[in-house]
Amino acid sequence: MPSVVKINVLTVPADQREALEQRFAARAGAVESSDGFEWFELLRPLEGTDDYLVYTRWRSEEDFQNWMSGPMQAAHRGEGGGGERPKPAATGSTLWSFEVVQQAAPKQG
């Protein structure tokens, strides 16, 4: 069964970029211990767009959905953090879904 990739496209105004990056840095492994999680990357735009890409790779669609309905919901509600919830850094969000059909890694030796 091929892995699935989820790319969350976040529109982030320039004055909120630092806040977004700090929030991801402080997420303290919120996704890494989830069953079926394979990879995460936060991609900052270099030019021509305000869209950040949040790349995650999962063993299966089911694993992603289980994370969405459990740990992700708790993290986005701010559970365990205490205090007032900060305003969102992103002004928009779109989720793209892909199935991995080919992949390559650097050749060894």
Side-chain angles (χ1 to χ4, degrees):
M1 174 183 285
S3 296
V4 295
V5 169
K6 302 293 181 171
I7 300 174
N8 194 0
V9 183
L10 300 176
T11 302
V12 183
D15 66 341
Q16 291 295 312
R17 287 182 172 195
E18 187 175 341
L20 177 87
E21 292 179 21
Q22 287 175 351
R23 288 177 195 172
F24 271 94
R27 63 187 176 70
V31 70
E32 286 90 330
S33 59
S34 296
D35 190 41
F37 169 78
E38 295 178 351
W39 196 257
F40 161 85
E41 290 177 328
L42 175 63
L43 306 176
R44 176 194 303 137
L46 293 178
E47 57 191 29
T49 184
D50 286 333
D51 292 339
Y52 274 70
L53 301 181
V54 182
Y55 174 102
T56 57
R57 182 171 164 151
W58 299 86
R59 178 179 54 206
S60 69
E61 178 68 24
E62 181 181 10
D63 290 323
F64 172 74
Q65 293 300 331
N66 288 340
W67 175 74
M68 285 285 289
S69 64
M72 191 281 298
Q73 291 289 335
H76 282 243
R77 281 194 303 267
E79 290 179 9
E84 190 177 312
R85 216 173 144 208
K87 89 174 186 99
T91 59
S93 174
T94 303
L95 183 65
W96 297 341
S97 299
F98 298 89
E99 184 175 77
V100 177
V101 293
Q102 292 184 25
Q103 61 185 17
K107 291 184 179 183
Q108 301 298 317

